[in-house]
Amino acid sequence: YERADSNRVGDPSSLEQTRQRLEKILREEVALLGGRSELVFLGGLSQGCTAALDIYLQLASKLRLGGFVGSVGFLPRDAMGFGNDERIEALLQDEVQRERPVWLQCAEDDQWVPWKELTEPSFADVMDRWPGLQLRTVRGRGHVIDQWEGDLLHEFM
């Protein structure tokens, strides 16, 4: 990130290195499944959620991934330095991928990934156009959602 108190991309080369590492892992997983990429799901928590969602946006339509589940992250957009707005639009035009499950659980009282200032606005223009998107909010634990993440994963499975 740009700074400890920011959710903006700080170093584009670091972002690109992360994308390359995650893409390599994803392609290896798809190969282990004999090419059955629809069985590959991504997810993460906090920075890991946003990083995993970033690579999902990069590769979901290309690799035909199965879906995504994450907690306390945001939709990585151009305005934050991610350069994904075109990929989001392409995913929304893909009749299969836009229906695949993309679930996010976000804390309305999150002190590090603020709901009103960051997360909610990052999804505002796609909510009505992304049938597979399920955006949930929780309140009461801030960023540290503990067992609520496990509950979401259990329901997702």
Side-chain angles (χ1 to χ4, degrees), residues 53-81:
L53 188 51
D54 174 66
I55 200 69
Y56 183 81
L57 295 171
Q58 301 276 319
L59 298 173
S61 289
K62 185 187 301 184
L63 296 182
R64 314 310 291 167
L65 299 174
F68 180 88
V69 60
S71 293
V72 294
F74 59 90
L75 189 60
R77 306 296 297 256
D78 287 3
M80 298 301 290

Side-chain angles (χ1 to χ4, degrees), residues 89-124:
E89 290 304 319
L91 186 139
L92 294 176
Q93 297 304 311
D94 184 323
E95 293 181 9
V96 173
Q97 287 302 134
R98 72 176 178 225
E99 298 285 341
R100 296 223 166 130
V102 174
W103 288 17
L104 276 97
Q105 178 171 252
C106 306
E108 291 179 343
D109 55 346
D110 191 323
Q111 64 275 33
W112 293 307
V113 183
W115 169 253
K116 283 287 183 200
E117 296 82 13
L118 176 61
T119 306
E120 186 177 38
S122 75
F123 286 97

Side-chain angles (χ1 to χ4, degrees), residues 5-22:
D5 63 343
S6 171
N7 285 295
R8 290 189 54 78
V9 171
D11 179 8
S13 67
S14 177
L15 175 62
E16 187 54 36
Q17 289 172 9
T18 299
R19 285 174 171 167
Q20 289 172 4
R21 283 192 306 272
L22 292 175

Side-chain angles (χ1 to χ4, degrees), residues 57 75-79 82-90 125:
L57 295 171
L75 189 60
R77 306 296 297 256
D78 287 3
F82 287 90
N84 279 325
D85 289 4
E86 284 185 20
R87 288 179 184 90
I88 293 167
E89 290 304 319
D125 67 330

